[in-house]
Amino acid sequence: MPSHVSDEQFGDAIVKSVEDGTFPEDGDVISSKLPSSALATLSNLLEQARTDVKTSIRELSRLSAPDIDGWIVQAKQLRTDIEHSQQLASQIVTRANEGGNLESRVQDASAKLDLLNREVGFNGALEEILQRLLELRDTLGEGQGTMLDGDILEVVTLLQNTEHNLETLHVCRKTTIAELIRARIGDLRAECQKAITERWDSTIQLDSTSSKISIHLRTDGQSATEFTSVVTALSKLDLLDSKIALLRKAIDSIIITPRLRKTTDSTVRSLIVDGDDLSLTGRTSDTSTRALLADINVMIQYLTSRLPSSIAVPLSSVLMPSLMSRLEYGPLRSSVPTDLDGVPEFETTLKVILSFADTLDSHKWQGNSALVGWVEQAPKVWLGKRRETSLDAVRTLLLKGLGNPRAVERVETQFVSREDEVFANKKDKDDWNAHWSDEENEMTASSNPRASNVKEGVDEEDVSAWELQDDTEKRNEEDNSDNANGDEDEADPADAWGWGEDDENAKPIEPLVSRPTQASLSKNNNLAAIKQPTEREMTLKETYNITALPEEILEIIVQAVLDAELLAKPSSSTNPVSPAAAGLLEIPGLVLSMYRATAHNSYSLSNNANMFLYNDSLYISEQLRKFSRDHILISSIRNIQGTSEFSLDSDISALELFGKRAYGKEMESQRTILGDLLDGAQGFANCIEHPFAQACDTAVNSTVDRLRDVYGQWKTVLSPSGLLQSTGSLLSTIISKIITDIEDMSDISEPESQRLTSFCNRIVALEDLFLPESISPHGGEEQETLVPLTAVYTPNWLKFQYLANILESSLVDIKFLWTEGELSLEFGAGEVIDLIEALFADSEHRRRAVGEIRRGVGR
């Protein structure tokens, strides 16, 4: 829409904007464009506005003219005043400059006066200093004359006064006159020191070659007064401490050290006093502490009788601390006995030490408190040496080696049932642990509270089979074992001894004998059915080998406990080491800790290191537990002050655990080796193809040979039952792996089945390792056939034999073993089905047999 804004409106809006700085309020004016036609009108309006502004300015100037004239007059007057002020300022500056010149002249005159005054003072001071230096020179001259007269103390006094006066003069050290005076003082001091040293050396003569000290001085004579002057002079010259230190060093090197040193023939030097001489001459075989303290007493009396107190007392302060330390860690410590037999002599030695301490105190020599303190700590010192001796004895025993092994016998009286004798040789009652069941012992370990103390740090597989249990527990576990899977972890023989004798009131425990299955009875010996068992008492024995170390260790421990008991008796209340009774009871634990810490290094030299370590540890534990039960608990050791319910149980348990860990380590090592050997068969896959067939054959033969070698090594160490249990555990590891490898084969051809059967037969040949020893009453071998105990000590042995039968049996035979035999007791249905599917091709007969087995027909 076209704009209706006129040119006059545009002009008014622009003029107002110029004059007032406002914007137009009319929106049409703001939004419209300025047309060119409006420029003429706009120009006229702007010109008119300029004219109006000029007119207004002229009118305002006319009205303000009188005021402006007044301002001009005032400005002129102000300029006149400023010029006048400038003139006054110039005059002031001029006068100020004139005053400064006068002040400079005054200051210059004052400075000259001060200089003259200082010169006068300096000259006076210089005159005074020169006068005092002259006096010092004269004093030094007098000192030199006094030196010639021999009055050393007076010379030293003059020397000190001269040095003091020279320091108070504040003379610059670099001045020539001061250097000359100091040089003369130094020369005089050197002459004085030389003279003092000569007198000292002439009085105290030290001869290290002849091991002799000579003091030509009497504390009550004229020479003593002169020597006192020498000592005073040394003190003033700050040389006395160094002289005493040199004297102490000489006494130590010439007298004390040679007297303390023993020669290879166990003799020492003799100390004598001959006039003014103190010397070491000859040798004596008396190396006792009493003789040593007597000689030291002679030396102290010699020194105190000839040296003034100003030397003797400081000498004791530097001589006795080191001497007391050497006595404490040398002769005094060697006088401490390691057993109670030497205590009476030790008590006499303590009295001698106290007497010597009193002598030191009477001479005011140091060392009294150290000796009295050592005597008061005699029980602690004796205990410390006894402890060190015991630990050193253990270390020495272990360093000497294991010694010659010897057989030991363990005897126990147990209640056994008649049925247990089926598997025990009736003519040989010594093999009492030969038929124990691994599976039942596994349950025993889990139900026996004591087993929980052993499991920590030990493979459960290697300890659970060694605990015993009562007859009721055994029967409950037999019922459960009928349903046990043959792949259970075999028990560890580490608990085979059944040393659960911690509780004195425990009922007699019975050896665990497995209840064989009907299949095993018919397969092994066709034994008759077992009748209802009746219990009877039986003495159980078996032997095993230990090294020579346990008896030595036990001797140390037992002797410590017996000595503690002896010291705890009222009759030993006057014994100087009786307070150490409680500390002796710590030695058994320390000895056993030392044994555990160092045994591995010593036993490692033996081929059967871990097994010997196991036997030794358990033998020591058994003997200590017996000793604790039969002796300590009824002795007076309970009355020892500082002990409460002393017991070796914790140390015994730690040692048992240590031995069982060694056993477990050995078993795990052998299992690893056997497993590695069997791994060479690569799961028996392609066992009939070259080169896998040779690898399988080598793996099986190596495994069998390895087990026989281990059996031969352990036979000389372990007990018969322990040997069978350990070998059975390793054999169980072997056959478990073979069973697993065969079951993992998805397809087994007839040649492979025959090959696998031959491998199983080689393993079965290891049964001869489990034949029980049988001796006739007349000493000859019985003619009856011995039954291998493999099934007793190898939990999955029957399963392995069944596997060998399955590999060479027909489908009908396998079905018969499942339905009519005992195959279902060892194998699960799934395992049998997998084997059938691997051995036989798919057919109607196989499907029917698998279906019947899966449905459990005949079970």
Side-chain angles (χ1 to χ4, degrees), residues 16-60:
K16 288 181 179 180
S17 176
V18 173
E19 290 179 348
D20 303 330
T22 58
F23 291 92
E25 296 178 357
D26 191 349
D28 293 338
V29 175
I30 295 173
S31 61
S32 300
K33 292 182 178 181
L34 181 65
S36 56
S37 59
L39 294 177
T41 303
L42 179 60
S43 176
N44 294 331
L45 291 175
L46 289 176
E47 184 64 27
Q48 181 65 37
R50 186 175 65 175
T51 302
D52 293 342
V53 169
K54 287 181 179 180
T55 303
S56 298
I57 291 173
R58 290 191 187 96
E59 183 65 22
L60 289 175

Short mmCIF file of all heavy atoms in Angstrom, two decimals, residues 16-60:
data_model
loop_
_atom_site.label_atom_id
_atom_site.label_comp_id
_atom_site.label_asym_id
_atom_site.label_seq_id
_atom_site.Cartn_x
_atom_site.Cartn_y
_atom_site.Cartn_z
N LYS A 16 13.88 17.07 14.12
CA LYS A 16 13.76 16.72 15.54
C LYS A 16 14.82 15.71 15.95
O LYS A 16 15.35 15.75 17.07
CB LYS A 16 12.37 16.16 15.82
CG LYS A 16 11.28 17.23 15.77
CD LYS A 16 9.91 16.59 16.07
CE LYS A 16 8.81 17.67 16.04
NZ LYS A 16 7.47 17.10 16.32
N SER A 17 15.12 14.81 15.04
CA SER A 17 16.16 13.82 15.36
C SER A 17 17.52 14.48 15.53
O SER A 17 18.30 14.12 16.42
CB SER A 17 16.24 12.77 14.24
OG SER A 17 17.29 11.86 14.47
N VAL A 18 17.81 15.55 14.67
CA VAL A 18 19.08 16.25 14.78
C VAL A 18 19.13 17.10 16.03
O VAL A 18 20.12 17.15 16.75
CB VAL A 18 19.32 17.09 13.51
CG1 VAL A 18 20.55 17.96 13.67
CG2 VAL A 18 19.49 16.17 12.30
N GLU A 19 18.03 17.81 16.33
CA GLU A 19 18.01 18.71 17.48
C GLU A 19 17.95 17.96 18.81
O GLU A 19 18.69 18.25 19.74
CB GLU A 19 16.82 19.65 17.35
CG GLU A 19 16.96 20.68 16.23
CD GLU A 19 15.74 21.59 16.12
OE1 GLU A 19 14.73 21.24 16.78
OE2 GLU A 19 15.82 22.60 15.44
N ASP A 20 17.02 17.03 18.90
CA ASP A 20 16.75 16.40 20.21
C ASP A 20 17.26 14.96 20.31
O ASP A 20 17.25 14.37 21.39
CB ASP A 20 15.24 16.40 20.48
CG ASP A 20 14.65 17.81 20.42
OD1 ASP A 20 15.43 18.74 20.74
OD2 ASP A 20 13.49 17.94 20.10
N GLY A 21 17.65 14.37 19.18
CA GLY A 21 18.08 12.97 19.19
C GLY A 21 16.93 12.00 19.38
O GLY A 21 17.13 10.89 19.87
N THR A 22 15.71 12.39 18.98
CA THR A 22 14.54 11.52 19.16
C THR A 22 14.15 10.93 17.84
O THR A 22 14.48 11.46 16.78
CB THR A 22 13.37 12.32 19.74
OG1 THR A 22 13.07 13.39 18.85
CG2 THR A 22 13.73 12.88 21.12
N PHE A 23 13.44 9.84 17.94
CA PHE A 23 12.93 9.17 16.75
C PHE A 23 11.46 9.51 16.58
O PHE A 23 10.75 9.75 17.58
CB PHE A 23 13.11 7.66 16.85
CG PHE A 23 14.53 7.22 16.78
CD1 PHE A 23 15.28 7.05 17.93
CD2 PHE A 23 15.13 7.00 15.54
CE1 PHE A 23 16.59 6.66 17.86
CE2 PHE A 23 16.44 6.61 15.48
CZ PHE A 23 17.19 6.44 16.63
N PRO A 24 10.99 9.53 15.34
CA PRO A 24 9.56 9.86 15.11
C PRO A 24 8.67 8.78 15.70
O PRO A 24 9.02 7.60 15.74
CB PRO A 24 9.44 9.92 13.59
CG PRO A 24 10.58 9.10 13.10
CD PRO A 24 11.70 9.27 14.08
N GLU A 25 7.52 9.19 16.20
CA GLU A 25 6.57 8.26 16.80
C GLU A 25 5.60 7.71 15.77
O GLU A 25 4.98 6.67 16.03
CB GLU A 25 5.80 8.97 17.91
CG GLU A 25 6.68 9.43 19.07
CD GLU A 25 5.88 10.15 20.13
OE1 GLU A 25 4.65 10.34 19.91
OE2 GLU A 25 6.46 10.51 21.18
N ASP A 26 5.48 8.33 14.70
CA ASP A 26 4.55 7.89 13.65
C ASP A 26 5.14 6.67 12.95
O ASP A 26 6.25 6.75 12.40
CB ASP A 26 4.29 9.02 12.66
CG ASP A 26 3.13 8.69 11.72
OD1 ASP A 26 2.70 7.49 11.75
OD2 ASP A 26 2.70 9.56 10.99
N GLY A 27 4.39 5.58 12.99
CA GLY A 27 4.89 4.36 12.35
C GLY A 27 4.99 4.49 10.85
O GLY A 27 5.87 3.85 10.25
N ASP A 28 4.12 5.27 10.24
CA ASP A 28 4.19 5.41 8.78
C ASP A 28 5.48 6.10 8.38
O ASP A 28 6.09 5.75 7.36
CB ASP A 28 2.98 6.22 8.29
CG ASP A 28 1.68 5.46 8.51
OD1 ASP A 28 1.77 4.19 8.62
OD2 ASP A 28 0.63 6.07 8.59
N VAL A 29 5.93 7.07 9.19
CA VAL A 29 7.16 7.79 8.86
C VAL A 29 8.36 6.85 8.98
O VAL A 29 9.26 6.86 8.16
CB VAL A 29 7.32 9.00 9.80
CG1 VAL A 29 8.66 9.69 9.55
CG2 VAL A 29 6.18 9.99 9.59
N ILE A 30 8.32 6.04 10.02
CA ILE A 30 9.46 5.12 10.25
C ILE A 30 9.55 4.08 9.14
O ILE A 30 10.63 3.75 8.65
CB ILE A 30 9.31 4.45 11.62
CG1 ILE A 30 9.42 5.51 12.73
CG2 ILE A 30 10.38 3.37 11.82
CD1 ILE A 30 9.12 4.96 14.10
N SER A 31 8.39 3.56 8.71
CA SER A 31 8.39 2.47 7.74
C SER A 31 8.48 2.96 6.29
O SER A 31 8.70 2.15 5.41
CB SER A 31 7.11 1.63 7.91
OG SER A 31 5.97 2.42 7.70
N SER A 32 8.34 4.20 6.08
CA SER A 32 8.35 4.71 4.68
C SER A 32 9.76 5.00 4.24
O SER A 32 10.64 5.29 5.05
CB SER A 32 7.50 5.99 4.58
OG SER A 32 6.17 5.72 4.96
N LYS A 33 9.95 4.92 2.92
CA LYS A 33 11.22 5.26 2.32
C LYS A 33 11.24 6.77 2.01
O LYS A 33 10.22 7.35 1.67
CB LYS A 33 11.46 4.48 1.02
CG LYS A 33 11.66 3.00 1.25
CD LYS A 33 11.93 2.31 -0.07
CE LYS A 33 12.18 0.83 0.13
NZ LYS A 33 12.46 0.14 -1.15
N LEU A 34 12.44 7.33 2.15
CA LEU A 34 12.57 8.76 1.89
C LEU A 34 12.65 8.98 0.37
O LEU A 34 13.60 8.54 -0.27
CB LEU A 34 13.85 9.30 2.57
CG LEU A 34 14.10 10.80 2.38
CD1 LEU A 34 12.99 11.61 3.09
CD2 LEU A 34 15.47 11.15 2.97
N PRO A 35 11.63 9.65 -0.15
CA PRO A 35 11.66 9.85 -1.60
C PRO A 35 12.61 11.00 -1.98
O PRO A 35 12.90 11.89 -1.18
CB PRO A 35 10.20 10.20 -1.92
CG PRO A 35 9.68 10.79 -0.65
CD PRO A 35 10.38 10.12 0.47
N SER A 36 13.08 10.97 -3.17
CA SER A 36 14.01 12.02 -3.64
C SER A 36 13.31 13.38 -3.75
O SER A 36 13.94 14.43 -3.65
CB SER A 36 14.60 11.64 -5.01
OG SER A 36 13.55 11.40 -5.94
N SER A 37 12.04 13.34 -3.88
CA SER A 37 11.30 14.59 -4.02
C SER A 37 11.26 15.37 -2.72
O SER A 37 11.03 16.59 -2.70
CB SER A 37 9.86 14.30 -4.51
OG SER A 37 9.20 13.46 -3.58
N ALA A 38 11.51 14.68 -1.61
CA ALA A 38 11.45 15.32 -0.30
C ALA A 38 12.77 15.97 0.08
O ALA A 38 12.87 16.62 1.11
CB ALA A 38 11.05 14.31 0.77
N LEU A 39 13.81 15.78 -0.74
CA LEU A 39 15.11 16.30 -0.37
C LEU A 39 15.12 17.82 -0.37
O LEU A 39 15.77 18.44 0.48
CB LEU A 39 16.19 15.75 -1.33
CG LEU A 39 16.45 14.24 -1.23
CD1 LEU A 39 17.48 13.83 -2.28
CD2 LEU A 39 16.93 13.89 0.16
N ALA A 40 14.43 18.41 -1.31
CA ALA A 40 14.43 19.88 -1.37
C ALA A 40 13.74 20.45 -0.15
O ALA A 40 14.24 21.39 0.50
CB ALA A 40 13.73 20.33 -2.65
N THR A 41 12.63 19.89 0.19
CA THR A 41 11.89 20.35 1.39
C THR A 41 12.75 20.14 2.63
O THR A 41 12.82 20.97 3.53
CB THR A 41 10.58 19.58 1.52
OG1 THR A 41 9.81 19.76 0.33
CG2 THR A 41 9.79 20.07 2.73
N LEU A 42 13.43 18.96 2.70
CA LEU A 42 14.28 18.63 3.86
C LEU A 42 15.43 19.63 3.96
O LEU A 42 15.76 20.09 5.05
CB LEU A 42 14.83 17.19 3.71
CG LEU A 42 15.75 16.71 4.81
CD1 LEU A 42 15.04 16.72 6.17
CD2 LEU A 42 16.25 15.30 4.49
N SER A 43 16.00 20.01 2.86
CA SER A 43 17.12 20.96 2.85
C SER A 43 16.66 22.32 3.35
O SER A 43 17.35 22.97 4.14
CB SER A 43 17.70 21.07 1.43
OG SER A 43 18.71 22.04 1.40
N ASN A 44 15.50 22.75 2.93
CA ASN A 44 14.99 24.03 3.38
C ASN A 44 14.74 24.03 4.88
O ASN A 44 15.03 24.99 5.60
CB ASN A 44 13.71 24.37 2.62
CG ASN A 44 13.97 24.60 1.13
OD1 ASN A 44 15.09 25.04 0.75
ND2 ASN A 44 13.00 24.35 0.28
N LEU A 45 14.16 22.95 5.35
CA LEU A 45 13.87 22.86 6.80
C LEU A 45 15.16 22.87 7.61
O LEU A 45 15.24 23.49 8.68
CB LEU A 45 13.08 21.58 7.10
CG LEU A 45 11.63 21.57 6.56
CD1 LEU A 45 11.00 20.21 6.80
CD2 LEU A 45 10.81 22.67 7.22
N LEU A 46 16.18 22.19 7.18
CA LEU A 46 17.45 22.17 7.91
C LEU A 46 18.09 23.54 7.89
O LEU A 46 18.68 23.98 8.90
CB LEU A 46 18.40 21.14 7.26
CG LEU A 46 18.02 19.67 7.47
CD1 LEU A 46 19.00 18.77 6.68
CD2 LEU A 46 18.08 19.31 8.95
N GLU A 47 18.03 24.21 6.80
CA GLU A 47 18.60 25.56 6.71
C GLU A 47 17.87 26.50 7.64
O GLU A 47 18.46 27.34 8.33
CB GLU A 47 18.52 26.06 5.26
CG GLU A 47 19.17 27.42 5.02
CD GLU A 47 20.66 27.37 5.28
OE1 GLU A 47 21.26 26.25 5.12
OE2 GLU A 47 21.27 28.39 5.68
N GLN A 48 16.55 26.38 7.67
CA GLN A 48 15.75 27.22 8.56
C GLN A 48 16.09 26.94 10.01
O GLN A 48 16.23 27.86 10.83
CB GLN A 48 14.25 26.95 8.30
CG GLN A 48 13.32 27.80 9.17
CD GLN A 48 13.42 29.29 8.88
OE1 GLN A 48 13.59 29.70 7.71
NE2 GLN A 48 13.35 30.14 9.91
N ALA A 49 16.32 25.69 10.35
CA ALA A 49 16.66 25.34 11.74
C ALA A 49 18.03 25.88 12.09
O ALA A 49 18.25 26.37 13.21
CB ALA A 49 16.65 23.80 11.90
N ARG A 50 19.01 25.87 11.16
CA ARG A 50 20.34 26.40 11.43
C ARG A 50 20.25 27.90 11.66
O ARG A 50 20.94 28.46 12.54
CB ARG A 50 21.28 26.08 10.27
CG ARG A 50 22.70 26.48 10.58
CD ARG A 50 23.63 26.03 9.47
NE ARG A 50 23.31 26.75 8.24
CZ ARG A 50 23.99 26.67 7.09
NH1 ARG A 50 25.01 25.85 7.01
NH2 ARG A 50 23.64 27.38 6.02
N THR A 51 19.47 28.57 10.87
CA THR A 51 19.32 30.03 11.03
C THR A 51 18.76 30.34 12.40
O THR A 51 19.20 31.28 13.08
CB THR A 51 18.41 30.58 9.92
OG1 THR A 51 18.98 30.25 8.64
CG2 THR A 51 18.27 32.10 10.03
N ASP A 52 17.79 29.58 12.84
CA ASP A 52 17.19 29.81 14.17
C ASP A 52 18.22 29.61 15.26
O ASP A 52 18.25 30.33 16.27
CB ASP A 52 16.01 28.86 14.38
CG ASP A 52 14.86 29.18 13.43
OD1 ASP A 52 14.83 30.31 12.90
OD2 ASP A 52 14.01 28.26 13.23
N VAL A 53 19.06 28.66 15.11
CA VAL A 53 20.07 28.39 16.15
C VAL A 53 21.07 29.53 16.22
O VAL A 53 21.47 29.96 17.31
CB VAL A 53 20.80 27.04 15.85
CG1 VAL A 53 22.01 26.89 16.75
CG2 VAL A 53 19.84 25.88 16.02
N LYS A 54 21.50 30.05 15.06
CA LYS A 54 22.44 31.17 15.05
C LYS A 54 21.82 32.36 15.72
O LYS A 54 22.47 33.09 16.48
CB LYS A 54 22.82 31.53 13.61
CG LYS A 54 23.75 30.51 12.96
CD LYS A 54 24.08 30.96 11.55
CE LYS A 54 25.04 29.97 10.88
NZ LYS A 54 25.39 30.39 9.49
N THR A 55 20.58 32.63 15.44
CA THR A 55 19.89 33.78 16.03
C THR A 55 19.86 33.63 17.55
O THR A 55 20.09 34.58 18.31
CB THR A 55 18.47 33.89 15.47
OG1 THR A 55 18.54 34.00 14.05
CG2 THR A 55 17.75 35.09 16.05
N SER A 56 19.62 32.46 18.03
CA SER A 56 19.57 32.24 19.49
C SER A 56 20.92 32.47 20.12
O SER A 56 21.04 33.03 21.21
CB SER A 56 19.10 30.79 19.76
OG SER A 56 17.81 30.59 19.26
N ILE A 57 21.99 32.07 19.46
CA ILE A 57 23.33 32.23 20.01
C ILE A 57 23.70 33.69 20.10
O ILE A 57 24.29 34.14 21.09
CB ILE A 57 24.34 31.48 19.13
CG1 ILE A 57 24.13 29.95 19.28
CG2 ILE A 57 25.78 31.83 19.52
CD1 ILE A 57 24.97 29.10 18.34
N ARG A 58 23.38 34.46 19.05
CA ARG A 58 23.70 35.88 19.07
C ARG A 58 22.95 36.57 20.23
O ARG A 58 23.50 37.43 20.92
CB ARG A 58 23.31 36.54 17.74
CG ARG A 58 24.20 36.12 16.57
CD ARG A 58 23.92 37.03 15.37
NE ARG A 58 24.65 36.55 14.19
CZ ARG A 58 24.16 35.78 13.25
NH1 ARG A 58 22.86 35.43 13.34
NH2 ARG A 58 24.89 35.44 12.22
N GLU A 59 21.70 36.21 20.41
CA GLU A 59 20.91 36.82 21.48
C GLU A 59 21.51 36.50 22.83
O GLU A 59 21.63 37.36 23.71
CB GLU A 59 19.46 36.32 21.38
CG GLU A 59 18.52 36.94 22.41
CD GLU A 59 18.33 38.45 22.21
OE1 GLU A 59 18.58 38.92 21.06
OE2 GLU A 59 18.01 39.15 23.17
N LEU A 60 21.99 35.24 23.01
CA LEU A 60 22.58 34.85 24.31
C LEU A 60 23.91 35.53 24.52
O LEU A 60 24.24 35.95 25.64
CB LEU A 60 22.80 33.33 24.33
CG LEU A 60 21.52 32.48 24.44
CD1 LEU A 60 21.88 30.98 24.33
CD2 LEU A 60 20.80 32.72 25.76
#
